[in-house]
Amino acid sequence: MSRWATKARRSRTSPARAAALPESSALCISAYCQRFFGRYIPHSPSNAPKVEFAPPIEQTSFPEFCDRYQELFAEPLPDVWFDENSVGLNRRLFSRWSGPLIVRAAGETVELPNSDGEPLFAVNDVAREALEFITRTGAFYVRELPGGLDDDEKVALAGALMAGKVLRAAS
């Protein structure tokens, strides 16, 4: 009899370890042990090779990615990488901010301030109704923006809000 089998026969460990395996695997192991050793034999290999983990990859910023792309392909990153360049009337958008946004008047402009009161975005008062709609609405299509803006103005406003990281595309 092999050294392992002799040692296994002398083991007095209960079959509790088999409970951690999927039922079919536990049954196969238990049946094997019962057939060849007369009882359950625990199996905890200690001779597995040591796993060497790769060093963590340094996270790259988007501007660094753009620079590297330009360096490798000798052309700027295509527009498909920039959501604000693909805004159309049928684009669905939603706010990037978890808290509510408010519209604040500032002379002939209106602003969307952050929680510290600093303006995230400012635009001519013509867009007030559209900004108020955006602050009240979770998700919307660009074509739904109210306030008498023409289609080009709606697209320009939405694109600027996306470029300013106030809004994001909803896919």
Side-chain angles (χ1 to χ4, degrees), residues 154-170:
K154 290 176 183 182
V155 169
L157 176 62
L161 287 164
M162 288 180 70
K165 306 295 185 219
V166 175
L167 297 176
R168 81 170 91 182

Side-chain angles (χ1 to χ4, degrees), residues 59-70:
Q59 190 168 2
T60 304
S61 70
F62 189 68
E64 290 170 329
F65 173 73
C66 292
D67 292 343
R68 183 69 175 140
Y69 185 94
Q70 174 85 33

Side-chain angles (χ1 to χ4, degrees), residues 83-99:
D83 283 340
E84 62 270 17
N85 295 340
S86 64
V87 177
L89 292 175
N90 293 322
R91 175 65 101 166
R92 190 162 171 80
L93 305 175
F94 66 98
S95 174
R96 294 181 69 103
W97 297 89
S98 58

Side-chain angles (χ1 to χ4, degrees), residues 10-19 30 33 39-44:
R10 284 184 267 163
S11 175
R12 302 220 186 268
T13 307
S14 72
R17 295 190 118 197
S30 293
C33 290
R39 65 185 163 75
Y40 173 76
I41 305 297
H43 178 68
S44 301

Side-chain angles (χ1 to χ4, degrees), residues 110 125-134 136 145-149:
V110 287
D125 191 54
V126 169
R128 175 191 297 271
E129 196 175 334
L131 286 183
E132 288 172 344
F133 171 83
I134 289 167
R136 292 189 314 267
L145 290 174
L149 300 175

